[in-house]
Amino acid sequence: MDPVYLDNNATTRVDAAVVSAMLPYFTEQFGNASSIHAFGAEVGAGLRTARRQLQALLGAEFDHEIVYTGGGTESDNTAILSALETQGGRNEIVTSTVEHPAILSLCAWLEKTRAAKVHYIGVDARGRLDIDAYRKALGPRTAIASIMWANNETGTIFPVETLAALAHEAGALFHTDAVQAVGKIKIDLSGSEIDMLSLSGHKLHGPKGIGALYVRRGVRLRPLIRGGHQERGRRAGTENAPGIVGLGAAAALAQEHMEDENTRVRDLRDRLEQGLVQRISHAVVTGDIENRLPNTANVAFEYIEGEAILLLLNKAGIAASSGSACTSGSLEPSHVLRAMKVPYTAAHGAIRFSFSRENTEADVDRVLEVMPGIIAQLRQMSPFWDGESKTRTAFTPTYA
Amino acid sequence: MWEYSEKVKDYFFNPKNAGVLEDASGVGEVGAIACGDALKLMIKVDPETDRITEAKFQTFGCGSAIASSSALTEIIIGKTLDEALAITNQDIADFLGGLPPEKMHCSVMGYEALRSAIANYRGEVWEDDHEEGALLCKCFGVDEGMVERAIRNNVLTTMEQVAHFTKATGSCGTCVEGIEEVLERTNAAMVEAGELAASQAFVVGAAPVVGRKTPRNSPVVALTSPPATKMTTLQRIKLIEAELEALRPALQSDGGDCELVDVEDNKVMVRLTGACVNCQLASVTVQGIQSRLAERLGTPVRVIPVPSGH
Ligand SMILES: Cc1ncc(COP(=O)(O)O)c(C=O)c1O
Ligand code: FES
């Protein structure tokens, strides 16, 4: 049986068409785009096409608003570090408690080493940002507000246009980590107030290690990586031509499949989610149900632990993920679910299923077929599970 | 994902002795759902021979927690209680063909549950040294005795190892200083007893703590600057009190709270409550308080959270 891959928020398969687009750039068209000879010129043309493809997916007004980077993490780092330098006299950052570590670790480091002041805005039980707190945190000292477009664990979408406008009222820049949003939902940056946006190739069936930072025309950017004049001096280093071409091809395909992603894929997700909740008691869907990515389902199964679920799923040929402490090597459960105050009884047993256009009805059927058995098997072993009657057993640990 | 041995996988996928043991003669329970793993070990003992005739477990936890629990039951069935008490967590790990270092706490959980179950059978109050104050790590419910046993049984000499074996310090990190003390003290005793080379012993502050989940010592804004001399101590304390008071509503709205315990030079001891439930926020909180105080006092300070109940 073919494996069922439902971990597309972690990474996606590179589309076969993307691979074919990239291959010539390893072989015949291996030139350096900066060279004067024919080898370089051909590559230059390929890069220009790729840039326009990505520009079209983002709805960016100018193609030079795109700066290629080594991925989502580099884009995030570039945006925040640049803002602290260009926004003279401002050393505060407003962000959320549910950002990706690409933002949170950087912020923690900036607090420690650069005396930056970081405001972490919380979310409610559905994962929605506390807009009031966000508004209050913005001020004359705010250099940049950075709020993700969509959360990687729950798919919850944030109102980035409103947030950008509020940031501008305070004279601050606005950046969004759109790594999970780009390619999955329609994005139109023309006429947008968003100053900077991060994206990553491998989340939209493109290659790993290539990403981009959109920088709205007129917004000053301090490069993170200095050296040659590539990317108009905004990101040094010989262009990753195969990667850039791959990202362009992936962007074009994503645009083509946008409709599919938001109809068929969404339906698959919904069917899985509803099927799980119907078949399995004490299973809760987390995140903002009405307003989230079409491909992401995060379901928490009470009284059992996520890694154990994933191991059994994996044995059944199904790949998913969890924010569970045990799988990440960290000892705490997902910071996103904790920020949402998902109770511990459920937070440890949260499983994320993330779809892509490659998934089918059969995939959903497979999961629905094996999941009830897996959950029952683990609950049988759990000291907290007392049959369908629910109520916790008289488990009285020494130090609860 | 983790590299589990074949035996771990086997004991996870086909666990032996899972379930409830009716009329068990001894029950040991460790861990809690909030901590991410918990084990209930049930044993039946033949009073004539003092042998464990049956053992079953119920475990909430990851693959290696379930495998360790199951392995434990296999190891102890047929053993006398004294033989069982001689088993260490390393025996459980060895039985399974080893565990990833980060997962050693699963074997420790089994070891602790076994001690607890035997004590329960013998009618002893488990852990005579277990008073309110001895609970060192609130996040994972780890007391001093458990840390000490893990250090001795496994010859642990770094804070990272202690986290791997007991999980203590792995979350909010407010227990780092307490655990460091125990590690230093226990290592010193082991050196004395000839169980450890003096050069290996852990000494607080002697080496940087390494590891992915580095237990955070509260960052010092600038270590070298002397404490403020402009303000009198009383003025400083008053100012600190006022600042903390101003911060409390925000913490309370998150279900936490904070109170000033002591001020000593540039060290500000605070007690955070409720915050451990949301550990990441706790460290953010501490840093937030620290930078705010530093700003208002005009000098670097170090905010040290002290566990509640002390
Ligand atoms: C929201 C978010 N931001 C950033 C990243 C990092 O992107 P990359 O892996 O390209 O560095 C990821 C990917 O895991 C993500 O989900
Ligand atoms: S990690 Fe030990 S008390 Fe929070």
Side-chain angles (χ1 to χ4, degrees):
Chain A
M1 235 185 302
D2 283 342
V4 175
Y5 185 75
L6 286 171
D7 199 10
N8 288 282
N9 283 9
T11 196
T12 55
R13 182 205 311 273
V14 182
D15 195 296
V18 171
V19 177
S20 337
M22 291 171 71
L23 283 177
Y25 291 85
F26 291 104
T27 51
E28 298 94 63
Q29 311 203 30
F30 61 86
N32 185 324
S34 310
S35 305
I36 210 82
H37 46 63
F39 292 91
E42 276 181 20
V43 173
L47 297 188
R48 277 191 295 281
T49 307
R51 192 180 285 275
R52 279 196 297 272
Q53 287 169 317
L54 185 56
Q55 183 193 354
L57 181 67
L58 300 178
E61 281 178 79
F62 305 93
D63 66 357
H64 62 254
E65 290 176 324
I66 291 164
V67 180
Y68 288 108
T69 66
T73 304
E74 186 189 323
S75 299
D76 285 345
N77 275 257
T78 306
I80 303 242
L81 289 167
S82 168
L84 286 179
E85 288 192 37
T86 60
Q87 293 276 85
R90 292 170 175 252
N91 75 331
E92 295 189 10
I93 299 167
V94 177
T95 187
S96 81
T97 51
V98 298
E99 297 296 313
H100 189 270
I103 296 285
L104 290 180
S105 302
L106 174 68
C107 284
W109 178 76
L110 289 170
E111 282 179 300
K112 253 189 220 173
T113 60
R114 302 237 184 133
K117 185 165 170 183
V118 183
H119 301 263
Y120 297 91
I121 311 301
V123 296
D124 68 9
R126 285 257 154 245
R128 292 172 297 207
L129 195 75
D130 180 346
I131 307 266
D132 267 350
Y134 173 81
R135 193 182 279 121
K136 284 192 197 120
L138 292 165
R141 306 269 301 148
T142 314
I144 187 166
S146 178
I147 305 287
M148 64 202 329
W149 195 308
N151 183 267
N152 43 309
E153 289 187 31
T154 63
T156 300
I157 294 174
F158 292 98
V160 282
E161 282 302 339
T162 310
L163 300 175
L166 288 171
H168 286 169
E169 276 172 27
L173 289 173
F174 184 80
H175 164 257
T176 182
D177 175 339
V179 166
Q180 292 294 346
V182 172
K184 294 181 187 139
I185 51 175
K186 193 167 159 45
I187 285 179
D188 184 7
L189 293 172
S190 64
S192 159
E193 290 214 30
I194 292 167
D195 297 301
M196 291 187 271
L197 173 148
S198 298
L199 64 94
S200 176
H202 71 102
K203 307 285 184 183
L204 53 140
H205 302 281
K208 296 168 180 58
I210 182 77
L213 179 66
Y214 157 90
V215 185
R216 196 162 52 81
R217 191 170 76 134
V219 172
R220 286 198 296 152
L221 187 76
R222 283 288 168 82
L224 175 67
I225 296 188
R226 291 158 202 279
H229 292 294
Q230 296 87 354
E231 298 297 304
R232 303 164 134 234
R234 293 176 298 177
R235 205 291 194 171
T238 298
E239 295 86 351
N240 173 0
I244 291 171
V245 168
L247 177 53
L253 285 168
Q255 208 163 11
E256 243 173 66
H257 289 95
M258 188 66 73
E259 180 67 22
D260 179 54
E261 183 90 22
N262 286 276
T263 52
R264 190 187 62 89
V265 173
R266 175 188 293 266
D267 289 347
L268 288 179
R269 189 273 313 267
D270 289 347
R271 193 161 79 78
L272 175 74
E273 209 168 73
Q274 286 155 17
L276 288 173
V277 174
Q278 276 161 14
R279 286 168 174 78
I280 300 168
S281 71
H282 302 102
V284 276
V285 175
T286 71
D288 187 0
I289 313 277
E290 283 85 43
N291 200 12
R292 57 188 171 142
L293 296 174
N295 80 318
T296 308
N298 191 305
V299 186
F301 301 93
E302 285 193 279
Y303 308 113
I304 48 178
E305 200 278 328
E307 185 204 282
I309 303 174
L310 292 183
L311 289 171
L312 290 172
L313 276 174
N314 184 53
K315 193 162 171 247
I318 298 166
S321 78
S322 90
S324 136
C326 284
T327 55
S328 60
S330 131
L331 293 170
E332 319 162 44
S334 143
H335 71 285
V336 175
L337 298 185
R338 279 214 330 275
M340 290 160 61
K341 302 200 168 66
V342 173
Y344 274 103
T345 49
H348 287 285
I351 301 292
R352 177 185 73 185
F353 299 97
S354 45
F355 289 77
S356 82
R357 58 179 185 251
E358 296 188 348
N359 291 112
T360 62
E361 291 284 344
D363 294 344
V364 175
D365 292 337
R366 273 278 290 293
V367 179
L368 289 179
E369 190 188 315
V370 302
M371 201 65 176
I374 289 175
I375 301 299
Q377 178 184 343
L378 290 172
R379 281 184 176 164
Q380 209 98 60
M381 272 193 267
S382 168
F384 300 107
W385 180 250
D386 188 19
E388 298 300 317
S389 68
K390 154 173 171 104
T391 49
R392 287 175 52 168
T393 52
F395 183 86
T396 44
T398 324
Y399 346 83
Chain B
M1 184 111 27
W2 306 105
E3 290 199 13
Y4 285 136
S5 71
E6 286 309 313
K7 201 131 180 221
V8 171
K9 284 189 218 160
D10 187 39
Y11 270 78
F12 169 66
F13 288 125
N14 311 297
K16 299 186 177 66
N17 311 316
V20 178
L21 181 60
E22 302 297 340
D23 47 80
S25 42
V27 178
E29 296 176 330
V30 291
I33 205 160
C35 307
D37 41 29
L39 162 58
K40 179 173 182 174
L41 178 71
M42 293 149 275
I43 55 173
K44 200 172 280 179
V45 182
D46 178 350
E48 303 278 286
T49 59
D50 222 22
R51 266 182 211 287
I52 298 173
T53 54
E54 272 183 86
K56 285 198 157 198
F57 74 92
Q58 282 186 301
T59 293
F60 164 88
C62 57
S64 60
I66 289 171
S68 297
S69 311
S70 181
L72 170 68
T73 58
E74 288 280 283
I75 296 173
I76 61 174
I77 292 174
K79 289 216 169 28
T80 65
L81 294 183
D82 285 337
E83 285 165 357
L85 277 176
I87 289 162
T88 67
N89 66 283
Q90 192 58 49
D91 294 326
I92 301 174
D94 289 347
F95 181 88
L96 287 168
L99 285 172
E102 297 86 349
K103 294 286 188 174
M104 283 302 288
H105 58 83
C106 296
S107 66
V108 173
M109 185 167 75
Y111 166 75
E112 294 286 325
L114 174 61
R115 289 172 48 91
S116 161
I118 293 176
N120 173 261
Y121 167 74
R122 288 179 167 169
E124 291 163 6
V125 178
W126 189 48
E127 287 310 61
D128 39 348
D129 60 344
H130 182 67
E131 309 139 17
E132 168 61 17
L135 192 51
L136 283 180
C137 175
K138 299 258 182 222
C139 289
F140 294 110
V142 177
D143 73 353
E144 196 166 328
M146 175 168 167
V147 175
E148 236 183 83
R149 283 190 295 276
I151 294 170
R152 283 184 181 276
N153 289 342
N154 301 285
V155 198
L156 308 184
T157 56
T158 69
M159 287 295 284
E160 187 187 25
Q161 287 173 330
V162 174
H164 286 164
F165 280 73
T166 66
K167 299 174 85 172
T169 71
S171 193
C172 71
T174 51
C175 56
V176 165
E177 307 203 333
I179 305 277
E180 278 181 341
E181 267 173 43
V182 177
L183 181 57
E184 182 177 73
R185 180 155 33 80
T186 312
N187 274 185
M190 289 159 71
V191 170
E192 195 121 311
E195 294 161 14
L196 184 71
S199 59
Q200 303 249 300
F202 176 85
V203 179
V204 177
V209 187
V210 289
R212 187 179 40 238
K213 257 288 156 185
T214 305
R216 293 160 280 243
N217 269 316
S218 317
V220 174
V221 175
L223 256 178
T224 45
S225 324
T229 43
K230 280 181 240 118
M231 267 183 258
T232 68
T233 307
L234 191 62
Q235 282 171 324
R236 280 165 51 82
I237 294 178
K238 283 257 183 291
L239 186 65
I240 292 168
E241 260 174 358
E243 281 303 312
L244 288 182
E245 207 50 48
L247 282 167
R248 288 182 62 200
L251 295 175
Q252 283 162 348
S253 75
D254 276 341
D257 206 345
C258 142
E259 87 190 76
L260 182 62
V261 177
D262 201 0
V263 179
E264 199 181 289
D265 297 336
N266 69 338
K267 289 194 220 126
V268 179
M269 265 64 88
V270 297
R271 180 175 295 137
L272 292 175
T273 47
C276 250
V277 186
N278 218 332
C279 292
Q280 193 206 11
L281 290 185
S283 63
V284 169
T285 307
V286 168
Q287 288 192 8
I289 297 174
Q290 180 162 288
S291 44
R292 175 144 172 183
L293 290 183
E295 197 175 292
R296 295 302 311 268
L297 294 168
T299 64
V301 291
R302 177 167 169 182
V303 172
I304 301 173
V306 297
S308 45
H310 278 213

